[in-house]
Amino acid sequence: MADKEYTDPERMEKIVSLCKRRGFIYQSAELYGGLNGCWDYGPLGVEVKRNLKEFWWRRNVQEREDIVGLDGSILTHQSVLTASGHVGGFSDPMCDCLLSKARLRADKIEPQSGTAYHYTGAKESEWSVTRDFAVLLREGENKNRARKTARQFYAQFHPNKSLSSKALELIGESTTEEKNTTRYNPENGSLLTEAREFNLMFKTQVGASSSEEDPNAVAYLRPETAQSIFTQFKNVLDTSRQKVPFGIAQIGKAFRNEINPRNFTFRSREFEQMEIEYFCRPEDGLRLTDEWLEDRLTFYNDIGLPREKLHVLDVPDGERAHYSKKTYDIEFDFPFGCQELEGVAYRTDYDLSKHQEHSGRPLEYFDEATKEKFIPHVVEPSAGCDRTVLALLCEAFGEEEVTDAKGKSEVRTVMRLHPRMAPIKAAIFPLLKKNEEQVRISREIQRSLERFMNVFYDQTGAVGRRYRRQDEVGTPFCITVDFETLGEETPDLKDTVTLRHRDSMEQERIAISDLLPRLLEEIR
Ligand code: GAP
């Protein structure tokens, strides 16, 4: 059983650094200091992301008769999100440190105990300020620390910004004993503001006559892709000739003004989701939730995330979203701990009922077979695309000691991405760039493959170095055109090439005409 608490910050640092160095993921607006919580996928990252989305779509839409797709708008009518409960309730409790102004999640503050030093104000010659402040000292801490912190707090209000805080005299010192309080900043002991609800949605104005007061001019960037699926349920049902049970799938961007974006792309403010709302009869909801869980675990295994690194959390009562009767979180062992990759939730008929109630339009389903009318229940497998890409990169990263052709040992960095997910499927090299025939054949192979997959031509440097460069970006196959290909020494080997395997580093001889079917079999 894996240790769910295990973390490896050094490994994570190496992954982040490789992602930037080789063009997988960059900080958004890095040129201007970076936009926190936003990321840009580089030439290789975008390929991994596309591979993932295309495979998810193929598995869940193309290969299933009971699921159809949707691509809803990102800008969302505020009535949709009022009905869903996001306008009133999609929030986190936040508080601010009175001293440093740092913003903290109130429900994530560790309870502390100690002596609180309270003050009512401070003065300096003619100047004074009246304002309550307090500092929490843990057992054994010197009270001068509380006084120093309080002076720093009051100095903010003094008109002379260069005045030393030591010049201030504190007013009204008193103490209280505190047990398990969350009212103080664990970093510096300063009092925090009262917690306030902070809505995580990005609000925006629509149209030229935008006005804060005009309800039709307000829209939100969607916080989940799910809502457009619910609001289009009836249209899809009427136009696709589906019958319950059936699903609607969507891949797209979602936006949340996360308080603490962290762990690289794991918690971002702009991210992509891959969601299915699977509509069913009420009595099938719980069974289908279990079935979807298994289906999703198989999916992760098929893209290269091993089962032993995936954990299923049966979210207990009281911790599930208000709409859910059952939720499984699928978690993965990231280098920063075991964290959620996907939620499989039984949302009951909550969403369709709410939209029916708020819109006044019927969203019931008529079952021809039983002649019953009912609001379908929903099972929702909701995966994070960026989180899955991150899991793939974390799982793939490896460093190993190898011996080069001259017997010297070196560290090989290798991204062992599943061939389905690898950004470049095959690299094609002429052994010698000066050999015109080798170059011509290599280019021909490149052209024959590139209609079917992403390939890369490279003729610079020693072949060993070219292999290393491809290992580092996860290319599963390297094809080398050499003298044997030309049939100059061994006529039997004419029109064959070497196919080198990234993980084992083994090489085999293969006919050029067999390359395409062989590679297609490996990457599909
Ligand atoms: N429609 C249900 C829903 O949105 P969720 O658990 O809030 O449920 C589903 O989100 C998935 O979306 C998560 O399991 C995660 O993979 C991804 N996700 C959510 N918030 C994210 C964020 N801030 N950054 C990256 N991915 C996120």
Side-chain angles (χ1 to χ4, degrees):
M1 172 89 186
D3 176 4
K4 288 180 77 176
E5 303 297 315
Y6 178 78
T7 61
D8 189 347
E10 199 187 320
R11 180 178 168 83
M12 195 60 215
E13 245 173 62
K14 287 181 181 171
I15 294 167
V16 174
S17 150
L18 183 141
C19 281
K20 181 172 176 197
R21 191 173 71 249
R22 297 309 310 267
F24 283 94
I25 302 172
Y26 316 117
Q27 169 77 66
S28 169
E30 193 196 55
L31 212 53
Y32 295 97
L35 181 59
N36 198 8
C38 300
W39 301 93
D40 295 339
Y41 287 76
L44 296 183
V46 70
E47 294 292 337
V48 178
K49 214 174 176 192
R50 283 174 63 104
N51 290 338
L52 172 65
K53 289 191 280 186
E54 278 164 21
F55 186 62
W56 185 93
W57 195 261
R58 174 148 69 84
R59 270 284 165 89
N60 290 302
V61 182
Q62 286 168 229
E63 292 177 4
R64 289 186 67 135
E65 286 184 7
D66 59 342
I67 302 185
V68 290
L70 182 80
D71 185 10
S73 74
I74 286 172
L75 286 174
T76 306
H77 196 294
Q78 66 168 329
S79 302
V80 171
L81 295 162
T82 303
S84 67
H86 285 89
V87 170
F90 193 57
S91 55
D92 282 338
M94 301 304 303
C95 54
D96 297 334
C97 173
L98 289 176
L99 182 65
S100 69
K101 310 295 175 225
R103 184 156 277 183
L104 293 102
R105 275 274 298 266
D107 55 339
K108 300 279 178 202
I109 297 169
E110 283 295 321
Q112 305 170 83
S113 301
T115 307
Y117 279 72
H118 301 265
Y119 302 92
T120 55
K123 61 184 179 182
E124 187 267 333
S125 42
E126 299 296 294
W127 174 87
S128 69
V129 58
T130 306
R131 202 176 273 247
D132 288 339
F133 183 65
V135 184
L136 185 75
L137 292 189
R138 296 200 197 107
E139 210 185 308
E141 278 189 297
N142 190 311
K143 63 184 171 204
N144 284 333
R145 195 182 75 72
R147 290 173 182 162
K148 187 176 166 194
T149 306
R151 282 197 190 94
Q152 286 169 347
F153 168 73
Y154 288 116
Q156 310 172 73
F157 306 104
H158 199 286
N160 179 1
K161 296 298 168 212
S162 53
L163 184 86
S164 163
S165 60
K166 285 184 192 150
L168 302 191
E169 189 185 325
L170 296 167
I171 305 170
E173 184 179 87
S174 64
T175 61
T176 54
E177 289 308 310
E178 303 288 336
K179 271 224 161 328
N180 295 326
T181 173
T182 53
R183 296 281 292 114
Y184 297 86
N185 186 349
E187 291 289 311
N188 57 16
S190 162
L191 186 67
L192 299 163
T193 59
E194 292 285 345
R196 296 178 312 282
E197 288 301 318
F198 176 84
N199 196 295
L200 299 180
M201 287 196 296
F202 288 95
K203 197 175 185 180
T204 190
Q205 299 283 303
V206 179
S209 64
S210 302
S211 131
E212 266 292 335
E213 284 74 50
D214 178 359
N216 294 320
V218 173
Y220 293 90
L221 303 191
R222 63 183 175 196
E224 58 173 4
T225 63
Q227 292 308 320
S228 54
I229 299 184
F230 296 126
T231 55
Q232 294 297 354
F233 161 75
K234 200 78 177 152
N235 280 334
V236 174
L237 185 68
D238 293 346
T239 50
S240 67
R241 300 174 59 211
Q242 288 288 340
K243 289 190 172 25
V244 164
F246 80 100
I248 304 178
Q250 176 163 212
I251 297 177
K253 291 259 183 174
F255 302 81
R256 296 181 191 177
N257 200 0
E258 298 283 359
I259 311 306
N260 285 320
R262 63 175 180 278
N263 289 330
F264 200 20
T265 58
F266 180 82
R267 191 171 300 287
S268 308
R269 291 188 167 133
E270 174 175 342
F271 54 96
E272 242 172 319
Q273 292 186 312
M274 306 184 290
E275 295 197 299
I276 298 164
E277 306 304 324
Y278 197 76
F279 300 94
C280 62
R281 295 184 63 87
E283 61 272 27
D284 294 334
L286 283 171
R287 175 182 56 80
L288 285 166
T289 309
D290 284 355
E291 285 179 21
W292 268 109
L293 172 67
E294 286 311 313
D295 187 280
R296 298 300 304 142
L297 289 169
T298 306
F299 175 88
Y300 287 117
N301 197 48
D302 291 346
I303 58 171
L305 299 182
R307 184 65 185 85
E308 65 273 16
K309 296 237 178 117
L310 297 165
H311 308 276
V312 177
L313 175 72
D314 186 349
V315 183
D317 289 348
E319 288 181 30
R320 290 191 296 271
H322 58 282
Y323 51 72
S324 169
K325 229 179 180 176
K326 178 107 193 155
T327 299
Y328 294 115
D329 281 351
I330 301 178
E331 301 176 328
F332 177 73
D333 289 326
F334 287 95
F336 44 84
C338 178
Q339 302 271 349
E340 179 186 330
L341 205 52
E342 164 160 358
V344 181
Y346 175 27
R347 290 179 81 129
T348 67
D349 59 354
Y350 177 84
D351 301 272
L352 288 183
S353 299
K354 285 287 170 199
H355 287 302
Q356 174 167 285
E357 183 188 319
H358 282 249
S359 67
R361 305 268 292 274
L363 293 177
E364 287 148 324
Y365 173 80
F366 179 69
D367 191 325
E368 297 280 356
T370 61
K371 307 289 176 216
E372 272 177 282
K373 232 183 186 184
F374 62 93
I375 293 193
H377 280 221
V378 170
V379 177
E380 176 196 65
S382 170
C385 180
D386 306 80
R387 280 192 191 175
T388 309
V389 169
L390 184 58
L392 290 171
L393 295 172
C394 291
E395 180 58 21
F397 179 81
E399 285 177 320
E400 60 186 28
E401 196 133 318
V402 291
T403 314
D404 71 9
K406 292 180 189 139
K408 224 174 91 199
S409 87
E410 61 172 3
V411 174
R412 173 173 96 120
T413 302
V414 52
M415 290 296 271
R416 292 194 187 85
L417 287 161
H418 190 292
R420 277 188 183 124
M421 297 294 122
I424 298 167
K425 308 300 184 191
I428 302 135
F429 313 147
L431 183 65
L432 285 184
K433 69 174 175 195
K434 288 196 181 120
N435 185 306
E436 282 178 18
E437 199 50 10
Q438 287 180 10
V439 170
R440 184 189 66 75
I441 297 172
S442 299
R443 288 294 191 188
E444 235 171 53
I445 294 174
Q446 178 190 9
R447 276 189 295 277
S448 71
L449 296 178
E450 68 193 2
R451 291 175 47 220
F452 300 91
M453 64 191 79
N454 196 31
V455 297
F456 186 78
Y457 174 85
D458 188 7
Q459 61 176 24
T460 41
V463 167
R465 291 256 68 83
R466 288 183 247 170
Y467 284 151
R468 289 287 177 278
R469 287 201 288 266
Q470 294 305 316
D471 289 344
E472 212 189 10
V473 299
T475 308
F477 304 103
C478 290
I479 297 160
T480 307
V481 174
D482 53 18
F483 288 101
E484 310 279 27
T485 313
L486 311 182
E488 286 173 0
E489 284 157 31
T490 323
D492 282 0
L493 296 180
K494 188 167 164 29
D495 294 334
T496 66
V497 289
T498 61
L499 184 67
R500 186 250 191 194
H501 298 256
R502 176 197 64 204
D503 297 347
S504 64
M505 294 191 284
E506 274 167 15
Q507 298 186 16
E508 60 175 305
R509 205 82 211 161
I510 177 169
I512 293 175
S513 56
D514 289 341
L515 274 174
L516 180 62
R518 173 71 183 279
L519 293 181
L520 285 178
E521 192 185 307
E522 302 269 2
I523 67 169
R524 289 284 293 166

